[in-house]
């Protein structure tokens, strides 16, 4: 049985949502469903829920928080914070876990290639794109968690926060004409 809040190592495949869809699956490489993500397409806060594989039970929810749009938070259904992601500059970011543990992200959100490091700069996870460069569904990820520092709910939540940051960056670049 899946333990969504226990430390996890392995690979999660996270296809992007369909153009007119509001949910997308999360699965193991063997195709076994792990969770579903429900997207809020017209939300200014990049809101989402992480649901169990059947879509009936909420495991977590998240979105942008704060006034400047550079912080994202993922919480459990009863309100406990599972993680907070702070967008930094030049592809860097900070992940704050319960208890104060810090992780850092480095890479390119817009290229969808991000590595996650612990406090002593050891790589603990990485997100790579599984979509083609000019695909309609650009944000399909594989999240490879190599050290037990994140739960499944946290890993999915962090990937969603990175997706939202990448989408925000693309929208800002388009608005600026670049």
């Amino acid at each position: 049985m899946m333990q969504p809040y226990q430390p996890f190592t392995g690979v999660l495949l996270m296809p992007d949502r369909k153009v007119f869809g509001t949910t997308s699956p999360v699965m193991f490489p063997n195709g076994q469903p792990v969770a579903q993500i429900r997207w809020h397409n017209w939300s200014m806060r990049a809101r989402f829920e992480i649901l169990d594989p059947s879509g009936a039970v909420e495991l977590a929810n998240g979105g942008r928080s704060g006034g400047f749009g550079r912080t994202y938070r993922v919480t459990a259904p009863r309100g406990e914070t599972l993680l907070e992601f702070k967008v930094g500059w030049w592809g860097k970011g900070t992940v704050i876990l319960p208890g104060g543990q810090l992780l850092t992200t480095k890479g390119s959100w817009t290229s969808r290639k991000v590595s996650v490091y612990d406090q002593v700069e050891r790589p603990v996870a990485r997100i790579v794109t599984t979509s083609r460069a000019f695909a309609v569904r650009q944000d399909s990820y594989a999240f490879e968690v190599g050290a037990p520092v994140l739960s499944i709910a946290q890993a999915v939540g962090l990937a969603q926060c990175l997706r939202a940051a990448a989408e925000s960056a693309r929208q800002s670049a388009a608005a600026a004409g670049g």
Side-chain angles (χ1 to χ4, degrees), residues 34-113:
V34 176
Q36 290 185 38
I37 301 164
R38 182 184 310 139
W39 307 69
H40 293 267
N41 294 329
W42 303 106
S43 168
M44 294 299 290
R45 294 267 179 209
R47 290 185 32 236
F48 62 89
E49 283 95 30
I50 302 167
L51 309 171
D52 74 340
S54 72
V57 177
E58 182 180 305
L59 303 175
N61 61 72
R64 195 171 312 138
S65 65
F68 296 105
R70 300 190 63 80
T71 301
Y72 296 82
R73 183 171 286 127
V74 178
T75 59
R78 290 190 261 181
E80 315 90 277
T81 299
L82 296 177
L83 69 84
E84 187 172 88
F85 174 62
K86 295 184 178 189
V87 176
W89 301 102
W90 299 285
K92 294 184 179 183
T94 302
V95 180
I96 304 167
L97 299 174
Q101 182 181 5
L102 294 176
L103 303 174
T104 57
T105 63
K106 296 178 186 175
S108 172
W109 300 314
T110 54
S111 299
R112 296 164 303 281
K113 293 179 184 175

Side-chain angles (χ1 to χ4, degrees), residues 118-136:
D118 66 11
Q119 290 175 297
V120 293
E121 294 294 315
R122 283 185 301 233
V124 296
R126 70 186 189 122
I127 296 174
V128 295
T129 185
T130 57
S131 56
R132 295 190 179 109
F134 298 104
V136 173

Side-chain angles (χ1 to χ4, degrees), residues 2 4 8 11-15 24-28 33-39 48-52 59-63 73-74 82-83 127 141-145 150-164:
M2 182 189 70
F8 166 78
V11 176
L12 298 171
L13 299 179
M14 302 177 64
S24 60
V26 177
M27 63 195 97
F28 291 127
V34 176
Q36 290 185 38
I37 301 164
R38 182 184 310 139
W39 307 69
F48 62 89
E49 283 95 30
I50 302 167
L51 309 171
D52 74 340
L59 303 175
N61 61 72
R73 183 171 286 127
V74 178
L82 296 177
L83 69 84
I127 296 174
Y141 292 142
F143 197 154
E144 302 167 357
V145 182
L150 298 169
S151 67
I152 289 174
Q154 288 170 318
V156 173
L158 178 57
Q160 281 302 107
C161 293
L162 288 164
R163 278 177 167 160

